[in-house]
Amino acid sequence: MKYEMVAGFETHVELATNTKIFCSCTTQFGGEPNTHCCPVCIGLPGTLPKLNKKVVEYAIKAGLATNCEIAEISKMDRKNYCYPDLPKAYQISQFDMPLCKNGYIELSNGRKIRLTRIHIEEDAGKLVHRKGDTLVDYNRGGVPLIEIVSEPDIRTIDEAREYVEKLQLIMRYIGVSDCKMQEGSMRCDVNISVRPVGSDKLGTRTEIKNMNSIAFIAKAMEYEFNRQVDLIESGEKVVQETLRYDDVTNTTSSMRGKEDANDYRYFRDPDLVTINVPREKVEEIKSQLPELPTQKLKRYVEELGLPEADAQLLTKYRKIAEYYEKAIKDTKNPKTAANFIIGQIFSRIENETEKEQFNINVSAESLNELIKLIDDGKIRMNLAKSTLEKMLDTGKKVTELLSESDMTGLDENALLDLCRQAVESNPNAVSDYKNGKEKAIKALVGFVMKNSRGKADAVAAENKIKEIIM
């Protein structure tokens, strides 16, 4: 019998506010343990929380960017459970009246992964296990989160990977989170079950908790899918439980039985007021949203004529897309800037973090100046490429590196002289070409381009060299 995967995600995204959700403590990552907390965020008796307005605005942004309906009225609830990372013995979250609901993320295959809800809540502290002891760091406690809950619409690991990547990209674009999974600012709980292909009945699900790597999510899902299939085919039952993933052994293991909503004894938080979001406020936030990555990708392909692979690379990070759009302003061929960025500039950027920051020596305006010189026929591509390398090395503008004579090009006589010199100086290449080695002509053209400092037209040079040889 063939089985299919049924998966849904609960994705926790830390919001990029300066202060925590219910107090004025910093949300800055790191710091000495228990130095970014106060009586409010560790829940000392007699303290009262006050909801951070920016948290609500960021959550609305996230909802609008993922096609959600925004609730005019919502509230905060207490989710009760006892665990050392929650000193209050409850987490302030949202239960039956979330801020956002009924959204979706559209995948490249056209399928829409439905979003049940997006709600706001506080993060818990961090447990540090060391030599048999468990220590608690409450710096992260009270950091504002949104939890994005999907329907069980994901059917393959590739769909899961694309879903998480698109969610991460959207949140970064709209500026609500940096979504650095390695720092815990985006974490996924993966709910997974299996069923016979063609069946509409959902199987018993397990939850793989706190995944902070897309690569590990894929490996954990593959392992858990195979584990559940093996259980079913052996006549055993899948138990509903919460699992942890061990990336060293590439296995999942039980943490605890899977809770249901009733286990948390939700009730309205009596210390916090009702959240009222007028329609006018929603429209105001909507008007502030940037062009989303899927919209930008489509525009780059359809209007700018870029290959989809190039458009994907340029839209993956908002800073790179913004740089690219400044670089192509009033230029004739958008592909030129794309080639420079994806080729020469990306070759100097070692990792994804550096691409996200995109701090390079050449401003978008300087690259724009260089491209316009190509458009106007003042310099050839070879010279442009070598000039860009110098710009990247030094941070100097194109006008500081190229003189007027560099931009005048070569007249017919000068080009003819260089072509004759190329033939006279490279007898072996000439002999190889005459003996049928077509590629030998490239060495002769290279001589001309080098000695003209890139000012020669490579095609014209090749034609003249062939005339001289023949």
Side-chain angles (χ1 to χ4, degrees), residues 115-133:
L115 303 182
T116 313
R117 57 192 283 147
I118 299 177
H119 62 260
I120 55 178
E121 62 185 21
E122 61 179 337
D123 206 346
K126 181 180 179 181
L127 299 182
V128 180
H129 305 285
R130 186 181 300 163
K131 296 181 180 179
D133 295 324

Side-chain angles (χ1 to χ4, degrees), residues 13-291:
V13 176
E14 284 189 0
L15 299 178
T17 56
N18 294 323
T19 56
K20 292 185 179 182
I21 187 169
F22 299 123
C23 66
S24 58
C25 290
T26 179
T27 57
Q28 186 177 0
F29 178 75
E32 290 297 313
N34 299 308
T35 57
H36 295 172
C37 48
C38 71
V40 174
C41 56
I42 62 174
L44 294 184
T47 58
L48 288 173
K50 183 179 180 181
L51 182 58
N52 185 337
K53 182 180 177 183
K54 186 63 73 173
V55 171
V56 178
E57 291 178 2
Y58 277 11
I60 293 170
K61 269 189 175 183
L64 291 171
T66 53
N67 310 290
C68 288
E69 302 166 12
I70 310 300
E72 190 168 350
I73 300 294
S74 64
K75 63 181 176 67
M76 304 303 298
D77 300 285
R78 290 187 181 181
K79 180 181 181 180
N80 297 274
Y81 66 95
C82 294
Y83 205 64
D85 60 5
L86 271 177
K88 301 192 293 281
Y90 64 85
Q91 178 190 36
I92 301 177
S93 182
Q94 291 189 301
F95 178 47
D96 57 330
M97 297 175 66
L99 188 60
C100 315
K101 59 184 180 180
N102 300 331
Y104 64 87
I105 297 290
E106 186 169 357
L107 303 182
S108 58
N109 61 12
R111 294 191 63 240
K112 291 181 179 179
I113 307 303
R114 293 170 295 162
L115 303 182
T116 313
R117 57 192 283 147
I118 299 177
H119 62 260
I120 55 178
E121 62 185 21
E122 61 179 337
D123 206 346
K126 181 180 179 181
L127 299 182
V128 180
H129 305 285
R130 186 181 300 163
K131 296 181 180 179
D133 295 324
T134 299
L135 309 176
V136 188
D137 180 6
Y138 288 123
N139 281 351
R140 197 174 67 187
V143 169
L145 298 175
I146 52 173
E147 182 174 348
I148 305 169
V149 183
S150 83
E151 292 287 328
D153 289 344
I154 292 168
R155 296 291 175 266
T156 67
I157 291 172
D158 284 342
E159 285 187 355
R161 185 185 290 108
E162 184 180 353
Y163 169 79
V164 176
E165 287 175 347
K166 284 201 166 180
L167 209 54
Q168 186 180 52
L169 186 58
I170 290 168
M171 295 302 121
R172 284 173 172 168
Y173 253 75
I174 62 176
V176 303
S177 176
D178 60 24
C179 288
K180 293 180 179 178
M181 298 186 80
Q182 71 276 15
E183 293 183 3
S185 56
M186 182 176 178
R187 311 188 294 276
C188 296
D189 299 339
V190 184
N191 292 280
I192 183 169
S193 64
V194 301
R195 67 184 179 190
V197 173
S199 172
D200 293 329
K201 186 179 179 181
L202 295 175
T204 302
R205 67 188 171 96
T206 58
E207 179 185 41
I208 311 171
K209 201 75 173 172
N210 287 328
M211 301 297 296
N212 64 353
S213 157
I214 294 175
F216 289 157
I217 287 172
K219 290 180 180 180
M221 289 180 73
E222 181 180 18
Y223 174 83
E224 184 59 17
F225 174 78
N226 291 328
R227 186 186 76 87
Q228 291 188 23
V229 169
D230 286 345
L231 285 173
I232 294 168
E233 292 190 334
S234 301
E236 300 179 53
K237 289 185 177 181
V238 177
V239 177
Q240 181 173 316
E241 58 185 340
T242 298
L243 307 171
R244 64 168 60 87
Y245 172 70
D246 186 332
D247 61 285
V248 176
T249 61
N250 190 34
T251 59
T252 58
S253 59
S254 181
M255 290 174 63
R256 58 182 183 267
K258 181 74 181 83
E259 304 90 344
D260 289 314
N262 290 339
D263 297 321
Y264 292 121
R265 295 175 292 115
Y266 282 99
F267 65 87
R268 178 170 182 155
D269 192 295
D271 294 333
L272 291 160
V273 298
T274 299
I275 302 170
N276 178 18
V277 184
R279 292 298 96 189
E280 303 80 48
K281 184 64 177 177
V282 175
E283 292 303 316
E284 178 189 330
I285 294 172
K286 190 174 185 178
S287 68
Q288 296 169 356
L289 286 176
E291 183 182 33

Side-chain angles (χ1 to χ4, degrees), residues 1-19:
M1 183 181 292
K2 290 187 176 181
Y3 295 87
E4 74 171 351
M5 175 186 297
V6 178
F9 278 69
E10 298 168 21
T11 304
H12 295 85
V13 176
E14 284 189 0
L15 299 178
T17 56
N18 294 323
T19 56

